[in-house]
Amino acid sequence: MDQRENHDIVDLFVIGGGINGCGIARDAVGRGLSVELAEMNDLASATSSASTKLFHGGLRYLEYWEIRLVREALIERETLLRAMPHISWPMRFVLPYHKDMRFEGDTPTSKVLSFVMPWMRGRRPAWLVRLGLFMYDNLGGRKILKGTTSINLSGTAEGAPLQDRFEKAYEYSDCWIEDSRLVALNARDAQDRGAKINVRTKVVSAQQVDGIWQITLEDKDTGTQRVVMARMLVNAGGPWVENVIRNAVRINSSEGVRLVRGSHIVTRKLYDHDKCYFFQGTDGRIIFTIPYENDFTLIGTTDAEHTDVATKPVCTPEEQDYLIEFASKYLKTPVSKDDIVWTYSGVRPLYDDGATSATAATRDYVLTLDQSAGAPILNVFGGKITTYRRLAESALEKITPFFSKDDKPWTAGVPLPGGDFPVDGVAALIAQLQAQYPFLDTAWATRLIKAYGKDAFEVLGEAKTARDLGQSFGSNLTEFEVLWLVEKEFARRAEDIVWRRSKLGLRMTAQEIKLLDDWMAQALGVARQSETGEA
């Protein structure tokens, strides 16, 4: 230790560039800790870009009596909404009611109800649905979002896409979130505050030497390796959290994850209004249908066991059929496979609590501190995207005692980059952007504001015409925007941009995407040569 300079050792090294890792890195560096993070692929390349893209309390978790989790998530909805009004916004959810709605058989609520009301045979009574929505409205101290209302589906826009047998529905509020942009903006803010963010960088091994972690990193583009020293490790590896424990850090631990695959389909636009549907099946499961990217509908999700983290999750034909059949039981016009334009799937790394089914496994997060190797490591299991900021605060409660820092939580109410404007200020910002850049049509300006917020003005810079923005790659994606995403948001490949920093992959052709990828490879190759003095 006497031979090592303090500045050569970071306080905290974070493994994993998903929402939990980036959220913890941002919170920690904001409290004065020195932080470095490594992600083996792109930011949000796994679970954090494959969610149903909602900030929500988890209405169905009330049936499992997960009151603390739901309350924390409900409170967070509005805290997060204020901090990122460009990438998050309120949405209304329509829950059609019919007498054949059923519980999953293993929920605590269903067991109690089956005991006291056996004649219901597992069906959800209307009064119980309304009670759950009343709790949902009031557990979180709602101030911005509208409360629940009852609606008559006959002759209404909400009822038009549904089969005539649905006459009544409840309408409640939750929030949309651009999940992978949330990760990128947390990483960017962490870097702006002093953290070092490494993408496409694999943690080969980590070993403790004299109370200090020595972490061997490998750059996946060049194959070069380097060693970083850190006083503490945070294992936010998501689906790979157990793999990091067993293979990279090599700590004996009985804790593990339960990998649950959630798959989604994206179809052509199935209805004209901007509200979502919350459908409940006769098997007790639920799915959402959500207006998506203006011209599409998002349907999901499934809950299926995923046995091998090394196997890339895909939406299987069976899962596609399940989602199609589920939605078609509600919609007047059945969904078909021909309607599907894209599918995606992610693995949720839930804490293995021994639950009997994937659906019943807890969505709450679990943080465990291990000092058996000498130097401390914090392992992060589970979590919901809605509670990522609270998870980070809970992690810092365990981290800060190891350092002479007494800084308090600070992230609540602090906007993410580009988000420093009112929740209801999106329309005004779009109008302001179009006034300053008259060559933007409404769709283009709206996309930029909903991606970058106030930073859209920085993206466009001093451009007077569309030509001033450099090469166009299709769907109004320009060289200026690509360079911004490379320099500010860690994009390295075309797929990082068209499927994670945006969803332009739904509109761009394969040829356009390849052109973008080739251009980025050349641009980044020149940059690397320049950095090493070989240009």
Side-chain angles (χ1 to χ4, degrees):
M1 282 293 294
D2 293 337
Q3 298 175 355
R4 287 178 290 205
E5 297 288 341
N6 280 338
H7 63 260
D8 291 334
I9 307 171
V10 297
D11 294 326
L12 207 64
F13 191 92
V14 181
I15 303 173
I19 189 54
N20 291 336
C22 291
I24 290 170
R26 179 189 182 228
D27 195 330
V29 74
R31 300 192 196 207
L33 298 178
S34 56
V35 178
E36 187 163 351
L37 177 147
E39 162 57 44
M40 65 179 175
N41 296 307
D42 180 35
L43 298 176
S45 56
T47 307
S48 295
S49 61
S51 76
T52 311
K53 309 184 192 308
L54 300 176
F55 276 155
H56 68 124
L59 180 61
R60 74 179 180 86
Y61 303 149
L62 291 173
E63 292 184 0
Y64 292 91
W65 300 351
E66 298 225 39
I67 304 300
R68 188 209 61 78
L69 173 65
V70 174
R71 183 174 185 275
E72 182 176 82
L74 289 172
I75 293 170
E76 276 298 283
R77 289 182 312 179
E78 296 198 1
T79 300
L80 299 174
L81 188 59
R82 290 187 182 96
M84 53 197 78
H86 49 330
I87 62 169
S88 180
W89 49 86
M91 299 190 90
R92 295 290 280 173
F93 288 72
V94 177
L95 194 166
Y97 179 78
H98 61 94
K99 61 182 178 61
D100 293 326
M101 285 181 174
R102 294 184 177 274
F103 290 103
E104 280 194 290
D106 56 357
T107 72
T109 301
S110 68
K111 291 176 181 177
V112 170
L113 204 66
S114 295
F115 179 77
V116 300
M117 299 174 67
W119 60 90
M120 290 298 294
R121 297 180 181 178
R123 293 193 298 270
R124 283 186 177 96
W127 63 264
L128 187 66
V129 175
R130 192 64 186 86
L131 175 62
L133 288 167
F134 174 81
M135 294 176 64
Y136 204 70
D137 278 347
N138 293 284
L139 276 174
R142 176 179 48 83
K143 294 179 181 178
I144 298 174
L145 300 175
K146 296 178 183 177
T148 298
T149 58
S150 297
I151 58 175
N152 187 334
L153 293 173
S154 179
T156 63
E158 294 85 356
L162 301 177
Q163 296 174 15
D164 292 337
R165 64 192 178 97
F166 299 105
E167 300 175 351
K168 176 183 179 181
Y170 301 104
E171 185 178 297
Y172 69 96
S173 291
D174 265 320
C175 298
W176 177 263
I177 177 61
E178 299 285 355
D179 53 4
S180 48
R181 288 210 53 71
L182 174 67
V183 179
L185 292 182
N186 269 272
R188 179 186 158 198
D189 199 46
Q191 178 164 277
D192 288 347
R193 296 173 186 275
K196 182 173 183 180
I197 307 295
N198 305 283
V199 295
R200 299 190 62 79
T201 302
K202 184 177 181 179
V203 173
V204 177
S205 65
Q207 58 181 343
Q208 182 273 142
V209 178
D210 296 334
I212 297 293
W213 286 106
Q214 294 190 358
I215 307 111
T216 301
L217 306 177
E218 180 176 283
D219 185 311
K220 292 181 69 173
D221 288 330
T222 64
T224 58
Q225 293 190 352
R226 64 186 176 92
V227 175
V228 175
M229 293 187 290
R231 294 180 176 85
M232 186 172 184
L233 272 183
V234 172
N235 173 15
W240 292 270
V241 62
E242 189 174 336
N243 187 60
V244 170
I245 294 172
R246 305 276 188 272
N247 300 322
V249 183
R250 297 180 182 176
I251 292 176
N252 290 323
S253 173
S254 61
E255 294 176 312
V257 291
R258 183 172 192 162
L259 301 178
V260 177
R261 188 175 65 252
S263 295
H264 302 76
I265 60 176
V266 175
T267 71
R268 63 174 181 82
K269 192 173 186 177
L270 299 180
Y271 49 86
D272 291 329
H273 62 76
D274 62 355
K275 296 179 182 179
C276 312
Y277 288 108
F278 180 120
F279 292 156
Q280 300 181 71
T282 54
D283 62 352
R285 289 269 307 125
I286 66 102
I287 64 168
F288 298 104
T289 69
I290 306 173
Y292 189 59
E293 294 291 316
N294 297 317
D295 300 316
F296 307 97
T297 300
L298 172 64
I299 303 175
T301 179
T302 60
D303 273 325
E305 302 287 354
H306 192 79
T307 55
D308 184 5
V309 70
T311 302
K312 181 179 174 61
V314 295
C315 183
T316 65
E318 293 77 18
E319 288 174 308
Q320 293 178 41
D321 291 340
Y322 174 82
L323 293 172
I324 287 171
E325 182 181 357
F326 200 143
S328 296
K329 288 179 179 178
Y330 278 79
L331 299 170
K332 277 181 184 173
T333 304
V335 184
S336 74
K337 280 205 169 181
D338 291 338
D339 293 321
I340 299 175
V341 298
W342 183 49
T343 68
Y344 68 90
S345 186
V347 175
R348 307 182 194 101
L350 307 181
Y351 185 73
D352 191 356
D353 60 356
T356 56
S357 71
T359 304
T362 182
R363 265 56 177 175
D364 210 348
Y365 54 82
V366 176
L367 308 175
T368 64
L369 188 65
D370 193 318
Q371 294 180 262
S372 61
I377 178 172
L378 182 70
N379 296 306
V380 180
F381 298 91
K384 285 162 42 70
I385 196 165
T386 312
T387 52
Y388 88 90
R389 193 195 64 82
R390 286 291 295 117
L391 181 151
E393 288 186 339
S394 297
L396 266 294
E397 288 178 8
K398 295 181 177 291
I399 291 167
T400 50
F402 291 92
F403 304 96
S404 57
K405 301 286 183 185
D406 58 358
D407 295 67
K408 303 301 181 187
W410 63 274
T411 55
V414 176
L416 286 175
D420 187 14
F421 63 94
V423 171
D424 59 357
V426 171
L429 208 55
I430 292 170
Q432 184 183 344
L433 190 70
Q434 284 187 280
Q436 187 164 330
Y437 302 95
F439 58 86
L440 298 176
D441 61 24
T442 300
W444 191 356
T446 299
R447 182 181 72 80
L448 292 174
I449 291 299
K450 287 197 168 186
Y452 308 106
K454 293 175 75 172
D455 280 343
F457 296 87
E458 300 295 325
V459 173
L460 299 178
E462 298 180 2
K464 303 299 181 186
T465 69
R467 281 199 190 116
D468 294 338
L469 296 173
Q471 184 169 344
S472 176
F473 298 98
S475 297
N476 291 327
L477 178 66
T478 66
E479 185 176 329
F480 269 36
E481 186 175 355
V482 171
L483 288 173
W484 175 274
L485 292 169
V486 169
E487 294 168 3
K488 300 286 188 179
E489 296 192 13
F490 315 98
R492 297 292 180 267
R493 301 288 187 273
E495 66 177 282
D496 304 346
I497 290 177
V498 303
W499 292 116
R500 285 182 284 276
R501 306 307 185 277
S502 74
K503 289 297 178 286
L504 291 174
L506 290 168
R507 306 181 189 281
M508 295 173 67
T509 67
Q511 185 177 358
E512 288 172 333
I513 295 172
K514 184 180 185 307
L515 175 65
L516 172 63
D517 204 42
D518 291 344
W519 186 92
M520 291 178 67
Q522 182 178 9
L524 289 168
V526 170
R528 280 196 290 269
Q529 288 178 3
S530 177
E531 288 169 359
T532 58
E534 297 172 1

